[in-house]
């Protein structure tokens, strides 16, 4: 498969111009992230696309080209249907682009795909087939559905036309932030990163392009270190949009040629980035969409990249987060920030004691989520019990005030954190 060039990206940009399928998304400065890493951080708000992600760029470009080629070539069957495999965002991009072109779309998604992405894909008019526990299984099944004449398989990243379409985001960043020093790009299959790196390095060679992955899906760093493709059959990350299991030969070639650096962040970093963007930037971003920003919350990544004084653009590439996932992520982040804790208080198991301790906690303006009696531990003396409170606080200083109030009332209390 031939590579992708800046000419391909610029031609794709011409096709996208004027369509209401793909929007020019805004850029906003993040004061919080700027202060965190000593740089001028500008958020590229690609999650505000109509489908909630950048994927529409590549899908629209590929489908437009396929239809144009079949119209020009009398020996080629007219495109009547497209097939794709996706964890969710590519699915919606293909579904919308196919609907706009007036052709059918069949999308294979893993059974673990967020419900919000499945329903959104169906709402754009596509037939959705659920197959397998992860993206690689969905991909394998999708590839069996493409034998019919007039069917075009639209790969999420192993497709020149798709990658060229994704690269238009890089041109847009350069146009909006011409003095950008570093662009942070999340990496799954490498379609976005490959396209953006191709565009940015061709038009602004001095601009650094950094790929960001999570620990549970870090196939880019592993592939670059090995000098060949490394895959993971079951990637494990809350950033489901980049849990592709690996790159393609096409994207590996592009990233090896154009990417300056790669960093790896944890799921904890991603969860913290989602919450920070929600609280400070007032933007709801999914795990994959927050991965680039998560690099600015990872001390090792910030030190490695040395961003001080730079203009930095993390790409917020997707905003399709499932409500259940959002709840889990917020809870995890709250635990990490000591804003959701568990207090275990040893008591004489007599009437009124629970109310007294609850009053002490409430008196410090902390909110009790749940409480339970533990009476069956083997080390509990007869007549004693542990009251276990799940408590919401404002952070470590608030926790200390709650602990002090309970202890000064004569109770033995232990503090732990937990996820629920």
């Amino acid at each position: 498969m031939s590579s992708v060039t800046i000419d391909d990206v610029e031609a794709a940009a011409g096709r996208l111009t004027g369509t209401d399928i793909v929007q020019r998304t805004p850029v906003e400065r993040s004061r919080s992230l700027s202060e965190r890493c000593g740089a001028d951080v500008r958020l590229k708000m690609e999650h505000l696309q109509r489908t909630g992600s950048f994927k529409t760029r590549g899908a629209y470009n590929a489908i437009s080209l396929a239809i144009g080629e079949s119209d020009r070539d009398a020996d080629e069957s007219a495109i009547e249907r497209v097939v794709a495999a996706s964890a969710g965002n590519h699915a919606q991009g293909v579904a919308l682009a196919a609907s706009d072109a007036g052709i059918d779309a069949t999308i294979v998604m893993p059974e673990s795909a967020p419900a919000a992405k499945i329903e959104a894909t169906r709402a754009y008019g596509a037939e959705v087939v659920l197959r397998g526990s992860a993206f690689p299984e969905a991909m394998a099944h999708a590839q069996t559905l493409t034998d019919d004449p007039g069917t075009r398989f639209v790969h999420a990243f192993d497709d020149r036309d798709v990658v060229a379409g994704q690269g238009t985001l890089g041109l847009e960043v350069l146009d909006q932030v011409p003095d950008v020093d570093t662009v942070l790009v999340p990496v799954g299959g490498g379609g976005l990163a490959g396209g953006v790196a191709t565009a940015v390095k061709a038009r602004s060679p001095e601009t650094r392009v950094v790929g960001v992955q999570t620990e549970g899906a870090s196939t880019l760093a592993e592939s670059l270190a090995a000098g060949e493709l490394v895959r993971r059959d079951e990637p494990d990350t809350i950033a489901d949009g980049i849990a592709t299991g690996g790159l393609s030969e096409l994207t590996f070639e592009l990233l090896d040629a154009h990417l300056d650096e790669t960093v790896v962040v944890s799921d904890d970093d991603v969860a913290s980035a989602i919450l920070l963007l929600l609280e400070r930037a007032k933007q709801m971003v999914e795990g994959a969409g927050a991965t680039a920003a998560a690099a600015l919350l990872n001390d090792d990544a910030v030190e490695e990249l040395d961003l001080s004084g730079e203009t930095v653009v993390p790409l917020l590439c997707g905003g399709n987060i499932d409500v259940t996932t959002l709840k889990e992520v917020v809870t995890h982040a709250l635990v990490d920030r000591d804003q959701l804790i568990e207090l275990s208080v040893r008591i004489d198991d007599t009437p009124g004691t629970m109310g007294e301790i609850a009053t002490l906690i409430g008196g410090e303006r902390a909110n009790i989520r749940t409480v339970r009696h533990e009476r069956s531990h083997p080390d509990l003396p007869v007549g004693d019990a542990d009251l276990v409170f799940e408590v919401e606080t404002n952070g470590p200083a608030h926790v200390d005030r709650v602990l002090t109030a309970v202890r000064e009332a004569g109770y033995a209390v232990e503090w732990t954190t937990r996820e629920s």
Side-chain angles (χ1 to χ4, degrees), residues 4-17:
V4 178
T5 68
I6 185 60
D7 291 339
D8 297 321
V9 177
E10 291 184 334
R15 292 184 196 97
L16 301 186
T17 300

Side-chain angles (χ1 to χ4, degrees), residues 67-269:
I67 291 174
E69 289 167 1
S70 65
D71 287 345
R72 290 190 299 271
D73 189 345
D75 295 329
E76 185 167 340
S77 299
I79 298 298
E80 298 176 350
R81 181 175 76 124
V82 292
V83 173
S86 171
N89 287 339
H90 181 59
Q92 293 174 69
V94 171
L96 179 59
S99 175
D100 180 71
I103 60 177
D104 295 333
T106 299
I107 314 294
V108 183
M109 304 175 73
E111 295 167 0
S112 58
K117 294 183 178 181
I118 295 171
E119 293 308 313
T121 303
R122 287 177 173 146
Y124 287 124
E127 174 193 8
V128 175
V129 177
L130 300 178
R131 184 62 59 94
S133 61
F135 177 77
E137 296 169 87
M139 172 63 74
H141 181 67
Q143 291 173 327
T144 69
L145 306 178
T146 61
D147 292 338
D148 295 337
T151 296
R152 165 74 150 86
F153 184 69
V154 184
H155 197 288
F157 50 88
D158 193 21
D159 186 308
R160 290 183 67 254
D161 300 334
V162 168
V163 173
Q166 319 302 31
T168 63
L169 182 55
L171 295 180
E172 204 167 288
V173 168
L174 292 177
D175 183 51
Q176 293 172 304
V177 191
D179 59 343
V180 57
D181 296 300
T182 297
V183 178
L184 298 172
V185 193
V187 183
L192 176 63
V196 167
T198 297
V200 170
K201 300 307 284 189
R203 289 291 167 257
S204 180
E206 68 280 3
T207 298
R208 179 170 52 166
V209 183
V210 178
V212 187
Q213 287 193 309
T214 59
E215 293 169 347
S218 58
T219 53
L220 171 59
E222 293 166 5
S223 296
L224 291 173
E228 61 182 11
L229 288 177
V230 175
R231 295 196 56 81
R232 292 194 185 191
D233 291 335
E234 295 188 5
D236 182 17
T237 175
I238 63 171
D240 61 278
I242 58 173
T244 62
L247 309 169
S248 67
E249 292 285 355
L250 170 65
T251 57
F252 180 60
E253 175 189 340
L254 291 170
L255 294 174
D256 191 32
H258 301 302
L259 200 67
D260 292 292
E261 297 180 58
T262 178
V263 296
V264 177
V265 300
S266 69
D267 274 1
D268 286 349
D269 296 324

